[in-house]
Amino acid sequence: MIFHPLPPGPARVDEDVARTDPELLRGVAEGNLTYLGDLYDRHALGVWRTVRRTLGDAADVEDVVHATFLGLPRIAASYDGRLHCDDWLKGIAVRIAMRRDRGVGRFRRMVSSLASVTSRWSSSDPERSAIHREDVAILEHAVAMLSLKKRAVFVLVELEGLTSEAAANALSIPAATVRSRLFHARRELHTALADGHWTKN
């Protein structure tokens, strides 16, 4: 099966677009690779963004996203039937990314999307924008120093907006573990940034 280059284009407009995620996954479990392509078109961009935040290396991001969807025929039958499978797919992708992690250096740009908040300030104020970009870079470096498990939770809850329960389901860990890791991640970031331990390279 041939996948579109990442990030993918808009979903195809045909009769399969109306199918629900559970219907598509049931079809994939039964061997229908057309449904696999429909799921890819529908969800790959969201999964790509999550993995991009988790790894930061564009080449590895594509590998992980492709591995996520190529693995669906093997696990689609285990889907729990929720109407939308995006959180489930993101959890699978993050777990694959965690297994592929080769060290903390690959996570340097995990929170690069936070730079978008610079739009709150006028582009006519380059000094203020430059200061904010520097703050974001320092935060990125601080987050890169978190353990991979804490970073994964941070991505899903703080950046993707999942609840603790949804993140727990996505990562196949207890919700209490998510809350604990998130608490420690926030505490470590607060301490590191307040103490000025992390600065840009």
Side-chain angles (χ1 to χ4, degrees):
M1 160 161 214
I2 299 175
F3 287 104
H4 302 298
L6 291 177
R12 293 194 302 271
V13 179
D14 58 30
E15 66 274 10
D16 287 329
V17 171
R19 296 184 187 277
T20 66
D21 288 354
E23 288 172 338
L24 292 176
L25 283 165
R26 280 196 296 272
V28 170
E30 295 167 359
N32 189 324
L33 296 186
T34 298
Y35 287 2
L36 179 59
D38 293 332
L39 282 167
Y40 181 91
D41 287 342
R42 185 177 295 180
H43 295 292
L45 181 56
V47 172
W48 188 92
R49 287 172 174 161
T50 298
V51 177
R52 180 68 177 82
R53 288 166 167 171
T54 303
L55 292 180
D57 186 313
D60 286 338
V61 170
E62 293 195 17
D63 289 344
V64 170
V65 174
H66 287 165
T68 299
F69 286 91
L70 289 172
L72 288 183
R74 179 172 48 84
I75 63 174
S78 68
Y79 185 61
D80 62 10
R82 284 170 291 165
L83 182 59
H84 302 292
C85 70
D86 49 346
D87 290 352
W88 183 70
L89 290 171
K90 289 174 182 177
I92 293 170
V94 168
R95 291 198 299 273
I96 293 173
M98 290 171 69
R99 288 197 299 268
R100 289 189 174 209
D101 184 77
R102 301 189 189 104
V104 73
R106 294 180 57 195
F107 214 85
R108 296 290 182 186
R109 297 177 58 82
M110 189 275 293
V111 292
S112 60
S113 63
L114 292 177
S116 63
V117 298
T118 57
S119 61
R120 291 180 299 179
W121 296 300
S122 169
S123 59
S124 63
D125 188 354
E127 182 178 356
R128 192 168 189 179
S129 295
I131 291 172
H132 183 69
R133 285 194 297 272
E134 182 174 355
D135 288 343
V136 170
I138 291 171
L139 178 59
E140 289 175 354
H141 187 71
V143 172
M145 296 298 101
L146 294 173
S147 71
L148 181 59
K149 290 180 179 180
K150 292 173 187 172
R151 295 195 308 266
V153 168
F154 188 87
V155 166
L156 291 178
V157 176
E158 297 291 353
L159 299 186
E160 293 298 331
L162 273 63
T163 64
S164 295
E165 289 71 21
N169 193 52
L171 294 172
S172 298
I173 59 177
T177 300
V178 169
R179 288 189 285 270
S180 176
R181 290 178 184 174
L182 186 60
F183 170 80
H184 289 293
R186 288 169 172 165
R187 186 191 63 183
E188 290 175 25
L189 285 172
H190 177 78
T191 300
L193 294 171
D195 293 348
H197 288 169
W198 311 122
T199 57
K200 293 192 303 176
N201 291 332

